Amino acid sequence: MFEQSQIQEFKEAFGCIDQDRDGVIKKQDLRETYGQLGKLNVKDEELDEMLNEGKGPINFTVFLTLFGEKLNGTDPEDTILAAFKLFDPNGTGFVNKDEFKRLLMNQADKFTAEEVDQAFALAPIDPTGNIDYKSLCYIITHGDEKEES
């Protein structure tokens, strides 16, 4: 289901969350991870809900399975490309960053400026301010090659 590079990234993430390094993610591991991220008042119910998704101890195999189930809902690359093509009537393969930002912040599920900035952090943007949406679609569905090297 995952490429080797993705499995390695999940292994690193698992290692960061498994605070006591015993090979199983427990409530205290989650609490400490949240604490490191600055969220100190996480309710027990929230943590229990996360742990219950594993239907038992969350070892690395269960962790991978959970992510596989969550990521399975990602749209296929051709569906995402088709959506971007709506904003590219001339078929150039690019959309203007500023215009696209305006649309994201003012249409449908309105993005905040921070959410747009986070999305654009991954986007290949040329010096003239155009997003190469074909490359962005690949990054969304396959991951960023730069992070793998």
Side-chain angles (χ1 to χ4, degrees), residues 42-134:
V42 183
K43 296 180 181 164
D44 278 343
E45 297 82 31
E46 269 185 90
L47 300 175
D48 289 335
E49 192 176 311
M50 286 182 221
L51 292 170
N52 288 337
E53 286 188 47
K55 298 175 181 35
I58 300 180
N59 60 24
F60 183 65
T61 303
V62 173
F63 185 77
L64 266 183
T65 302
L66 289 171
F67 269 94
E69 291 170 359
K70 298 285 183 192
L71 294 175
N72 199 18
T74 303
D75 289 324
E77 189 172 354
D78 59 340
T79 303
I80 299 169
L81 270 173
F84 271 105
K85 286 179 181 177
L86 294 172
F87 303 103
D88 181 22
N90 298 326
T92 63
F94 294 90
V95 293
N96 180 271
K97 177 186 80 156
D98 295 330
E99 177 62 12
F100 196 61
K101 180 177 184 173
R102 187 188 67 72
L103 291 169
L104 288 173
M105 293 177 66
N106 294 299
Q107 304 292 320
D109 293 335
K110 296 178 176 111
F111 280 51
T112 65
E114 182 179 328
E115 290 169 330
V116 172
D117 290 342
Q118 287 174 349
F120 284 178
L122 291 175
I125 302 172
D126 71 17
T128 62
N130 292 311
I131 299 170
D132 176 351
Y133 65 81
K134 292 177 184 178

Side-chain angles (χ1 to χ4, degrees), residues 34-46:
Y34 270 114
Q36 289 178 349
L37 297 172
K39 188 171 181 184
L40 303 175
N41 299 320
V42 183
K43 296 180 181 164
D44 278 343
E45 297 82 31
E46 269 185 90

